[in-house]
Amino acid sequence: MAKLTEIGWNEFTSLSLEAKRPYLARQDGMPYHTLFAQQFDRSLLERLCALANRIRFINKSKEGALYLKSVLAHKRAMLYFSQPSSRTFLSHLAACQLLGITTGSVRDAATSSEFKGESKEDSIRTFSSYFDMIIMRSPEQGLAEKMAWELSNSSRPVPILNAGSGKDQHPTQALLDVYTLMRSFENNGGVDGRTVVFCGDLLRGRTVRSLSYLLTEFSGVRQLFVAPDELQVPPDVTAILDRKGVAYEISGDLRACVARADAVYMTRIQDEWDSSKGASAKIDTHRFKFGAEELAILKPEGVIMHPLPRRDEIATCCDRDPRAMYWRQMRNGMWIRAALIASTFGFEESIMNCGY
Ligand code: NCD
């Protein structure tokens, strides 16, 4: 198994994401560091979803919940979030609590020594002195990867989980999105062959890039990208689809795409990335919202998803419709993150085979 200690930083960064995968994996194939969606293939996705289902089931009884709380009671995790977060922070925290992990957190770099001029590398090494895993979100693309390499080459390596890096990747969100799709379609044919519509800010939404990639692991999934021209899916995403021979379409017509959709994945306009204040507000986005009329067109077994937070891109009148999956999607995040964390520490097999 390739090790991150055996490759220099410059050589490592020049590899393709797929080629980086073995450097980040454990012996059992599960990720040690989780940095991007390209680390997961179909079999890993199925293993993780099976484990998430297992944890969910075990947790239903008090005895089972107490067993789960003992699994990682000897571990501590640091949640290092230097970008706003509600769900990703809380679901990782709740996942740690399910497994008995003690946690610490920094949610604002202004409260850490970074404010005094400490480098991010030194901050991360500080966290690794006290914790056994670092779950991190940062506005900086590639930072999680750099920190993973730094830690693996330090005297106290600990795994890094990327909980969102810049406009780039959000691998654990993609895991919960796939888990939600797998559960939504488990009794009617599965995810293969489905049509998934992505709508909103596809240019700057990191959840779209990560999920689009994971969907290529399913056969015959067609991806329809619906957005204003200014916010359409970037070429690095379509290049992967071209290379993998995945069918996709680029469109400006949400209703026409909803009529064909098995899943509609709405996203908000990511205006925090605007180069000049108010730039996004000048883009006409009114045709890229899901409301009562779109609901009327969606297939009876179709699902509506959203990584959240939402603004007005899904009308609240859709919230009680059984096809509105975004609430369950959010809770699924806790289970799949618990599965990923347990696997990162090597506890997949013992949880799968425990007596509960
Ligand atoms: C997303 C993110 O942070 O990229 N939120 C999340 O993690 N659930 C999407 C967003 O902020 O729009």
Side-chain angles (χ1 to χ4, degrees), residues 268-341:
R268 77 177 165 89
I269 305 301
Q270 313 270 315
D271 47 15
E272 66 269 39
W273 297 108
D274 281 355
S275 45
S276 62
K277 205 170 158 33
S280 293
K282 296 195 185 100
I283 301 173
D284 181 4
T285 55
H286 80 277
R287 288 181 294 118
F288 305 94
K289 299 186 198 297
F290 195 103
E293 284 162 46
E294 288 70 24
L295 198 58
I297 303 170
L298 184 66
K299 291 178 187 171
E301 73 278 16
V303 294
I304 314 156
M305 295 169 62
H306 195 307
L308 302 175
R310 89 172 138 182
R311 290 179 182 164
D312 61 351
E313 57 278 350
I314 301 180
T316 50
C317 67
C318 302
D319 290 2
R320 286 170 185 270
D321 191 281
R323 294 167 292 178
M325 209 50 71
Y326 27 100
W327 312 118
R328 269 182 261 177
Q329 183 184 353
M330 178 157 64
R331 186 162 164 83
N332 286 340
M334 176 177 72
W335 303 115
I336 200 80
R337 285 169 171 139
L340 178 66
I341 292 168

Side-chain angles (χ1 to χ4, degrees), residues 99-328:
L99 298 166
I101 300 176
T102 312
T103 55
S105 65
V106 166
R107 298 203 64 174
D108 179 357
T111 66
S112 83
S113 283
E114 263 176 57
F115 199 65
K116 300 186 205 161
E118 185 168 60
S119 70
K120 295 198 171 64
E121 283 82 351
D122 286 2
S123 292
I124 290 277
R125 284 203 64 161
T126 306
F127 302 149
S128 76
S129 302
Y130 308 130
F131 294 93
D132 306 299
M133 163 180 272
I134 297 169
I135 303 167
M136 62 180 281
R137 163 172 286 198
S138 157
E140 208 175 306
Q141 180 170 333
L143 184 66
E145 196 171 317
K146 182 72 184 3
M147 295 305 144
W149 186 87
E150 290 283 346
L151 283 185
S152 284
N153 284 283
S154 78
S155 53
R156 210 183 120 73
V158 305
I160 296 259
L161 252 64
N162 177 4
S165 51
K167 287 177 267 187
D168 180 36
Q169 285 260 356
H170 197 347
T172 67
Q173 176 72 40
L175 290 176
L176 77 90
D177 295 337
V178 159
Y179 182 48
T180 302
L181 287 167
M182 286 172 86
R183 286 179 67 85
S184 300
F185 298 122
E186 71 185 338
N187 297 322
N188 61 351
V191 179
D192 293 316
R194 300 284 175 181
T195 296
V196 177
V197 173
F198 289 97
C199 179
D201 190 341
L202 311 184
L203 179 65
R204 301 173 293 185
R206 55 194 172 194
T207 66
V208 173
R209 175 176 285 96
S210 292
L211 178 57
S212 169
Y213 181 83
L214 283 196
L215 289 175
T216 68
E217 292 294 319
F218 294 84
S219 60
V221 171
R222 179 176 289 273
Q223 303 188 22
L224 311 186
F225 298 103
V226 186
D229 291 342
E230 301 90 323
L231 301 176
Q232 257 301 354
V233 66
D236 68 295
V237 175
T238 52
I240 291 175
L241 303 179
D242 287 331
R243 183 159 50 76
K244 294 189 101 182
V246 170
Y248 69 90
E249 293 170 37
I250 292 186
S251 168
D253 188 344
L254 179 59
R255 289 209 187 134
C257 292
V258 167
R260 296 162 58 200
D262 296 296
V264 182
Y265 191 93
M266 299 298 298
T267 63
R268 77 177 165 89
I269 305 301
Q270 313 270 315
D271 47 15
E272 66 269 39
W273 297 108
D274 281 355
S275 45
S276 62
K277 205 170 158 33
S280 293
K282 296 195 185 100
I283 301 173
D284 181 4
T285 55
H286 80 277
R287 288 181 294 118
F288 305 94
K289 299 186 198 297
F290 195 103
E293 284 162 46
E294 288 70 24
L295 198 58
I297 303 170
L298 184 66
K299 291 178 187 171
E301 73 278 16
V303 294
I304 314 156
M305 295 169 62
H306 195 307
L308 302 175
R310 89 172 138 182
R311 290 179 182 164
D312 61 351
E313 57 278 350
I314 301 180
T316 50
C317 67
C318 302
D319 290 2
R320 286 170 185 270
D321 191 281
R323 294 167 292 178
M325 209 50 71
Y326 27 100
W327 312 118
R328 269 182 261 177

